[in-house]
Amino acid sequence: MRQLIAGNWKMHGLSADAVALARAVRDGAGGVDADLLVCPPFLHIPAVAAALAGGPEGSTVALGAQDCHQAAQGAHTGDVSAPMLVDAGVTHVILGHSERRQNHHEIDEVVREKTEAALRCGLAPIVCVGETDAQRNAGQETEVVGWQLAGSLPQGFADPRKDGLSCAVAYEPVWAIGTGRTPTLEEVATMHAFIREELVRQFGAAGHGIRILYGGSVKPANAKELLAVPHVGGALVGGASLKAEDFLAIARAARDLGDEVRTPGPWG
Ligand code: PEP
């Protein structure tokens, strides 16, 4: 399995900026040995879908969203449902990002419901977990991440999927997001090994088939060393994904995961 390099564009850019960025990523993706994903703001999804579809042969960049509602439809002003995303050509969705957890008070239970909603309609969720600065300083980082994993990942998260899309967990220490600070490679290794153990504890052998992305101030200068850490299955990139050349440079640092992430056996 290849590493997954996912760009979270957050609430940046107007439609024309999104189209230009999508085209630049698409055109530069040809020789990259990684799975690529871009996650524009909701409103730009149709324009980005069209831009990605017009790419040269061999350039496949997947399209993701940054959130979805847990209900398929209903009286939820301002929200977007998972089936609506599928209808617009989206294949992946970021859920439980720390900015959603903090700014929209999303607790683990809500993240789990959203993840279930995504799985129900065939979207591949990327579920974010990570501790705050205060929690790490108090030595609580593994405890916090363990609770988030137990509370946010529903049964069936690790099931093999007929469409070949794979779910992922993103470890994003909150204090590293958008700050330029990153954990040491040892800290990343320790946390990713812990998350792998938890996934196997929760899902059995299928837990080996889940990519664990690292996110938090990934840039071209540190991508190679971060992506080389055992159990790092790719990167979730914020700021650096807004420049195609930086995003592609990060993707060029990706490696094949070999046996580290084992796709679960044939589905029944
Ligand atoms: C993010 O918000 O998911 C993220 C990783 O941001 P940045 O790369 O800017 O730290």
Side-chain angles (χ1 to χ4, degrees), residues 6-8 10 94 97-99 128 170-174 176-181 214-219 235-241:
N8 175 8
K10 307 196 183 184
I94 299 169
H97 189 282
S98 62
E99 286 153 15
C128 303
Y171 169 56
E172 298 207 306
V174 179
I177 294 179
T179 59
R181 290 168 61 201
Y214 168 77
S217 297
V218 178
K219 39 188 184 264
L236 181 52
V237 186
S241 72

Side-chain angles (χ1 to χ4, degrees), residues 81-172:
S81 74
M84 289 172 186
L85 295 176
V86 173
D87 189 43
V90 167
T91 53
H92 294 68
V93 59
I94 299 169
L95 293 170
H97 189 282
S98 62
E99 286 153 15
R100 302 284 321 172
R101 290 179 185 266
Q102 275 177 353
N103 305 341
H104 298 265
H105 313 292
E106 289 188 7
I107 57 172
D108 290 334
E109 190 185 347
V110 171
V111 178
R112 194 189 67 238
E113 288 170 0
K114 290 183 171 198
T115 307
E116 281 166 346
L119 290 171
R120 263 197 304 276
C121 65
L123 285 175
I126 298 171
V127 176
C128 303
V129 295
E131 80 285 356
T132 63
D133 216 3
Q135 288 165 335
R136 179 166 279 271
N137 290 338
Q140 295 169 340
E141 66 275 11
T142 45
E143 190 186 338
V144 167
V145 168
W147 280 114
Q148 287 175 332
L149 290 169
S152 307
L153 304 182
Q155 266 191 349
F157 185 75
D159 289 353
R161 296 159 52 101
K162 292 192 169 71
D163 52 19
L165 294 175
S166 65
C167 301
V169 166
Y171 169 56
E172 298 207 306

Side-chain angles (χ1 to χ4, degrees), residues 240-251:
S241 72
L242 297 173
K243 273 193 177 169
E245 69 264 36
D246 285 358
F247 184 63
L248 290 166
I250 292 168

